[in-house]
Amino acid sequence: MAKILLQRRQLLRLLAALPLAPGALSAPALPSVVRIAAVARNAASGNTHFSGSSSMVVEDRWLETELGKLGVKLEWLPVTTNSVAAQVNEAFAKKAIDFAAYGDLPSIIANASGLQTSLVVPGGSLSNTYLVVPSDSPARSIRDLKGKRIALHRGRPWEYPFARLLEANGMALSDVKILNLNPQAGAAAVSTGSADAFFTLSDAFLLEDKKTAKIIWSSKKPPHDWKMRAELWGARQFLRDYPQLAQLVATAYVRVHHRAAGESGREEYIRVEAQGGQNESVLRRELAEDNTPWKERWSPLFTPPLRAHYASEIDYARRAGLINKPVELDALFAPQFVTQALAQLKLQQYWTT
């Protein structure tokens, strides 16, 4: 034993004497820019406006200022509503972005394909989903659409709520004829009668306004699991290499979640979204009579129901043939940044699980 200890001490002295390259034991140098992708629209002014939490982070400018103190720029990558998932996943694959505010199901598909991303800040977007049919359709529920043509953009975040709706009514995807169309094409299909129904988001109200379709079901009353989730995701390598920058990004989003969840936050949210080209009447109808408390909509907490949601969605993606490789549930979550942000902002008791 004494001989082994002597050899170990000699080895340690030898390693200590070896010259090290400058910075060999230090963290990687900070990048020159942090890049975030988010849905954007062209406003009437001609300017590009981002949506949801990201729009408020842009307007707040806190993140831009804090990164600037470190000599790091903030860069926003706009993506379009008709192909968010494809654009974001391609950008992550090319290492062209570090973070993205986008949907849950595309994130699962990305991780199953070999990309490594993690959920950094949950909440902020729990958009309702809607089932619409042509205005002259006799259908009154999803059960009336068995064997019918339903426009649905496969792989988008609202596919999972659609599957939940089917399941709750004793149906499966095989019980309907899915027309895999993006939202714009789906709206056109249901308006012209080329589809018997269309499963979509709040653009359903625009179809009602045009009197080309009518809403026969919405997720306003069912459980949260039937809404569409879009949240802040980060490249796992970036989170490991630059935790200081990742923390700033997470804190920036938690800051605006807290502001939005406040007493005047609802009107501020509508104002910011309307500035970005969203129809204010649609925004108000989307939020009216929703069974999700406004404050809870903005909760960034990693809760047991959140974990259960992603576990169930991974299982659905596998059964539906959207993924063919397993996805490790724990690897999808990076809760340490929200924990630290809540402590920094003294908000540990603001949201409850």
Side-chain angles (χ1 to χ4, degrees), residues 293-315:
W294 180 253
K295 181 179 177 181
E296 196 62 30
R297 172 186 291 263
W298 298 93
S299 171
L301 302 183
F302 287 79
T303 62
L306 179 74
R307 181 183 178 85
H309 168 84
Y310 275 95
S312 178
E313 195 160 24
I314 289 171
D315 179 64

Side-chain angles (χ1 to χ4, degrees), residues 16-335:
L18 291 175
L20 293 175
L25 297 180
S26 62
L30 294 180
S32 61
V33 62
V34 169
R35 304 154 301 175
I36 306 175
V39 172
R41 296 177 176 85
N42 291 324
S45 62
N47 296 327
T48 298
H49 280 260
F50 291 89
S51 297
S53 304
S54 298
S55 66
M56 291 182 281
V57 172
V58 171
E59 189 176 79
D60 186 45
R61 301 197 70 174
W62 180 88
L63 178 58
E64 180 182 0
T65 300
E66 293 303 308
L67 288 173
K69 292 175 183 178
L70 300 174
V72 178
K73 293 182 180 180
L74 175 60
E75 181 179 296
W76 292 92
L77 175 69
V79 294
T80 58
T81 56
N82 63 343
S83 58
V84 178
Q87 293 178 66
V88 168
N89 285 347
E90 182 180 357
F92 269 131
K94 292 181 176 179
K95 302 187 185 304
I97 57 172
D98 309 303
F99 296 90
Y102 81 134
D104 47 8
L105 185 55
S107 301
I108 290 170
I109 294 171
N111 277 271
S113 70
L115 296 180
Q116 292 189 333
T117 63
S118 293
L119 178 57
V120 180
V121 181
S125 178
L126 293 176
S127 301
N128 283 303
T129 51
Y130 300 85
L131 179 64
V132 302
V133 296
S135 55
D136 59 353
S137 172
R140 301 182 62 183
S141 75
I142 187 67
R143 291 185 295 275
D144 297 328
L145 295 168
K146 191 169 184 177
K148 301 295 185 179
R149 302 161 301 174
I150 301 181
L152 171 75
H153 204 185
R154 297 296 308 275
R156 300 296 293 273
W158 51 93
E159 177 175 342
Y160 178 63
F162 178 67
R164 293 297 306 275
L165 175 61
L166 288 172
E167 181 184 354
N169 286 274
M171 299 171 64
L173 283 177
S174 58
D175 290 318
V176 296
K177 298 174 182 177
I178 297 296
L179 304 179
N180 188 10
L181 301 173
N182 69 34
Q184 290 74 17
V190 77
S191 297
T192 61
S194 300
D196 299 300
F198 175 36
F199 196 79
T200 188
L201 302 178
S202 62
D203 53 322
F205 292 111
L206 296 176
L207 295 174
E208 281 203 326
D209 290 344
K210 295 175 182 177
K211 302 188 185 307
T212 59
K214 59 185 178 183
I215 299 170
I216 63 171
W217 177 90
S218 83
S219 65
K220 290 188 176 186
K221 301 303 179 186
H224 291 181
D225 229 21
W226 296 22
K227 298 183 188 294
M228 188 212 82
R229 299 192 70 98
E231 309 173 286
L232 183 69
W233 292 74
R236 215 170 293 165
Q237 187 65 50
F238 186 95
L239 303 182
R240 287 194 294 261
D241 288 349
Y242 310 111
Q244 177 186 13
L245 300 184
Q247 186 60 63
L248 288 176
V249 174
T251 301
Y253 274 82
V254 173
R255 274 172 55 92
V256 299
H257 281 213
H258 174 239
R259 193 173 75 230
E263 187 174 333
S264 61
R266 187 186 184 98
E267 288 301 313
E268 180 182 359
Y269 170 79
I270 292 173
R271 174 187 64 79
V272 171
E273 289 292 280
Q275 282 181 346
Q278 287 275 58
N279 184 300
E280 183 174 335
S281 172
V282 168
L283 288 167
R284 293 191 181 279
R285 281 179 283 175
E286 157 75 3
L287 298 177
E289 300 178 354
D290 190 295
N291 69 342
T292 304
W294 180 253
K295 181 179 177 181
E296 196 62 30
R297 172 186 291 263
W298 298 93
S299 171
L301 302 183
F302 287 79
T303 62
L306 179 74
R307 181 183 178 85
H309 168 84
Y310 275 95
S312 178
E313 195 160 24
I314 289 171
D315 179 64
Y316 166 75
R318 181 189 54 77
R319 289 186 288 106
L322 296 173
I323 63 175
N324 53 23
K325 292 183 179 179
V327 174
E328 184 185 348
L329 181 62
D330 289 337
L332 289 183
F333 301 142

